[in-house]
Coordinates of all heavy atoms in Angstrom, one line a residue:
H1706 N -15.2 -3.5 9.9 CA -14.8 -3.0 8.6 C -13.3 -3.5 8.5 O -12.5 -3.4 9.4 CB -14.7 -1.5 8.5 CG -16.1 -0.8 8.5 ND1 -16.4 0.4 8.7 CD2 -17.3 -1.4 8.2 CE1 -17.7 0.7 8.6 NE2 -18.2 -0.5 8.3
R1707 N -13.1 -4.1 7.3 CA -11.8 -4.7 7.0 C -10.7 -3.8 6.8 O -10.8 -2.8 6.0 CB -12.0 -5.7 5.8 CG -11.0 -6.8 5.6 CD -11.4 -7.6 4.3 NE -11.5 -6.8 3.2 CZ -10.5 -6.5 2.4 NH1 -9.3 -7.0 2.6 NH2 -10.6 -5.7 1.3
R1708 N -9.7 -3.9 7.6 CA -8.6 -2.9 7.5 C -7.4 -3.6 8.1 O -7.4 -4.5 9.0 CB -8.8 -1.7 8.3 CG -8.0 -0.4 7.8 CD -8.5 0.8 8.6 NE -9.5 1.5 7.9 CZ -9.3 2.3 6.9 NH1 -8.1 2.4 6.4 NH2 -10.3 3.0 6.3
Q1709 N -6.1 -3.3 7.7 CA -5.0 -4.0 8.3 C -4.6 -3.4 9.6 O -4.8 -2.2 9.9 CB -3.8 -3.9 7.4 CG -3.1 -2.6 7.2 CD -1.8 -2.7 6.3 OE1 -1.0 -3.5 6.7 NE2 -1.8 -2.0 5.3
C1710 N -4.0 -4.2 10.5 CA -3.7 -3.8 11.8 C -2.4 -3.1 11.8 O -1.4 -3.6 12.3 CB -3.7 -5.1 12.8 SG -3.6 -4.5 14.5
A1711 N -2.4 -1.8 11.4 CA -1.2 -1.0 11.2 C -1.1 0.0 12.3 O 0.0 0.7 12.4 CB -1.1 -0.4 9.9
D1712 N -2.1 0.2 13.2 CA -2.0 1.2 14.1 C -2.4 0.7 15.5 O -3.4 0.0 15.6 CB -3.0 2.3 13.6 CG -2.8 3.7 14.4 OD1 -2.8 3.7 15.6 OD2 -2.7 4.7 13.6
P1713 N -1.6 1.1 16.6 CA -1.9 0.7 17.9 C -3.4 1.1 18.3 O -3.9 0.5 19.2 CB -0.9 1.4 18.8 CG 0.2 1.9 17.8 CD -0.4 1.9 16.5
V1714 N -3.9 2.1 17.7 CA -5.3 2.6 18.1 C -6.3 1.5 18.1 O -7.2 1.5 18.8 CB -5.6 3.8 17.3 CG1 -6.1 3.4 15.9 CG2 -6.7 4.6 17.9
F1715 N -6.1 0.5 17.2 CA -7.1 -0.5 17.1 C -7.2 -1.4 18.3 O -8.3 -2.0 18.6 CB -6.8 -1.4 15.9 CG -6.9 -0.6 14.5 CD1 -5.9 -0.9 13.5 CD2 -7.8 0.3 14.4 CE1 -6.0 -0.2 12.4 CE2 -7.8 1.1 13.1 CZ -6.9 0.8 12.2
F1716 N -6.1 -1.5 19.2 CA -6.2 -2.1 20.4 C -6.6 -1.1 21.5 O -7.5 -1.3 22.4 CB -4.9 -2.7 20.9 CG -4.4 -3.9 19.9 CD1 -3.5 -3.8 19.0 CD2 -5.1 -5.2 20.0 CE1 -3.0 -4.9 18.2 CE2 -4.7 -6.2 19.3 CZ -3.7 -6.1 18.4
E1717 N -6.0 0.1 21.4 CA -6.2 1.1 22.5 C -7.6 1.6 22.5 O -8.1 1.9 23.6 CB -5.2 2.3 22.2 CG -3.8 1.8 22.4 CD -2.7 2.8 21.7 OE1 -3.1 3.7 21.0 OE2 -1.5 2.6 22.0
M1718 N -8.3 1.6 21.4 CA -9.7 2.1 21.5 C -10.6 1.2 22.3 O -11.6 1.6 22.7 CB -10.3 2.3 20.0 CG -10.5 1.0 19.3 SD -11.1 1.3 17.6 CE -11.2 -0.4 17.0
L1719 N -10.1 0.0 22.6 CA -10.9 -0.9 23.4 C -10.3 -1.0 24.9 O -10.6 -1.9 25.6 CB -10.9 -2.3 22.8 CG -11.9 -2.4 21.7 CD1 -11.5 -3.3 20.5 CD2 -13.3 -2.7 22.2
G1720 N -9.3 -0.1 25.1 CA -8.8 0.0 26.5 C -7.7 -1.1 26.7 O -7.3 -1.3 27.8
L1721 N -7.1 -1.7 25.6 CA -6.1 -2.7 25.9 C -4.7 -2.0 25.8 O -4.5 -1.1 25.1 CB -6.3 -3.7 24.8 CG -7.6 -4.4 24.6 CD1 -7.7 -5.2 23.3 CD2 -7.9 -5.2 25.8
D1722 N -3.9 -2.6 26.7 CA -2.5 -2.0 26.9 C -1.4 -2.8 26.2 O -1.1 -3.9 26.7 CB -2.3 -1.9 28.4 CG -1.0 -1.1 28.7 OD1 -0.2 -0.9 27.8 OD2 -0.8 -0.7 29.8
I1723 N -1.1 -2.4 25.1 CA -0.1 -3.1 24.2 C 1.3 -3.4 25.0 O 1.9 -4.4 24.9 CB 0.2 -2.4 22.9 CG1 -1.2 -2.4 22.1 CG2 1.3 -3.1 22.1 CD1 -1.1 -1.4 20.9
A1724 N 1.7 -2.3 25.8 CA 2.9 -2.5 26.5 C 2.9 -3.5 27.5 O 4.0 -4.1 27.9 CB 3.2 -1.1 27.1
K1725 N 1.7 -4.0 28.0 CA 1.7 -5.0 29.0 C 1.6 -6.4 28.4 O 1.7 -7.4 29.1 CB 0.5 -4.7 30.0 CG 0.8 -3.6 30.9 CD -0.2 -3.5 32.0 CE 0.1 -2.3 32.9 NZ -1.1 -1.6 33.4
A1726 N 1.3 -6.5 27.1 CA 1.1 -7.8 26.5 C 2.5 -8.5 26.4 O 3.5 -7.8 26.0 CB 0.4 -7.7 25.2
R1727 N 2.5 -9.8 26.4 CA 3.7 -10.6 26.1 C 3.9 -11.0 24.7 O 4.8 -11.2 24.1 CB 3.8 -11.8 27.0 CG 3.7 -11.7 28.5 CD 4.9 -10.9 29.0 NE 6.1 -11.7 28.7 CZ 7.3 -11.1 28.4 NH1 7.4 -9.8 28.4 NH2 8.3 -11.9 28.1
I1728 N 2.6 -11.1 24.0 CA 2.6 -11.5 22.7 C 1.5 -10.6 22.0 O 0.4 -10.5 22.5 CB 2.0 -13.0 22.6 CG1 3.0 -14.0 23.2 CG2 1.7 -13.4 21.2 CD1 2.4 -15.2 23.7
V1729 N 1.9 -10.1 20.8 CA 0.9 -9.3 20.1 C 0.9 -9.9 18.6 O 1.9 -10.0 18.0 CB 1.2 -7.8 20.0 CG1 0.3 -7.1 19.2 CG2 1.2 -7.3 21.4
V1730 N -0.3 -10.2 18.1 CA -0.4 -10.7 16.8 C -1.1 -9.6 15.9 O -2.1 -9.1 16.3 CB -1.2 -12.0 16.7 CG1 -1.5 -12.4 15.2 CG2 -0.6 -13.1 17.4
V1731 N -0.5 -9.3 14.8 CA -1.0 -8.3 13.9 C -1.3 -8.9 12.5 O -0.4 -9.5 12.0 CB -0.2 -7.0 13.8 CG1 -0.2 -6.2 15.1 CG2 1.2 -7.3 13.4
K1732 N -2.4 -8.6 12.1 CA -2.8 -9.0 10.6 C -2.3 -7.9 9.7 O -3.1 -7.0 9.5 CB -4.2 -9.4 10.5 CG -4.5 -10.8 11.1 CD -5.8 -11.3 10.7 CE -6.1 -12.7 11.3 NZ -5.5 -13.8 10.5
S1733 N -1.1 -7.9 9.3 CA -0.5 -6.8 8.5 C 0.8 -7.4 8.0 O 1.4 -8.3 8.6 CB -0.3 -5.6 9.4 OG 0.4 -4.6 8.7
R1734 N 1.2 -6.9 6.8 CA 2.5 -7.3 6.3 C 3.7 -6.4 6.7 O 4.7 -7.0 7.2 CB 2.3 -7.3 4.7 CG 3.5 -7.8 4.0 CD 4.4 -6.8 3.6 NE 3.7 -5.6 3.0 CZ 4.2 -4.4 3.0 NH1 5.4 -4.2 3.5 NH2 3.5 -3.4 2.6
G1735 N 3.5 -5.2 6.6 CA 4.7 -4.4 6.9 C 4.3 -3.1 7.5 O 5.1 -2.5 8.3

Side-chain angles (χ1 to χ4, degrees):
H1706 291 164
R1707 199 173 56 86
R1708 201 175 269 284
Q1709 69 173 303
C1710 191
D1712 197 308
V1714 76
F1715 299 140
F1716 292 109
E1717 293 162 350
M1718 68 182 176
L1719 285 146
L1721 303 171
D1722 189 346
I1723 296 166
K1725 288 195 178 137
R1727 302 294 303 144
I1728 297 158
V1729 175
V1730 175
V1731 290
K1732 285 192 178 280
S1733 173
R1734 182 267 317 156

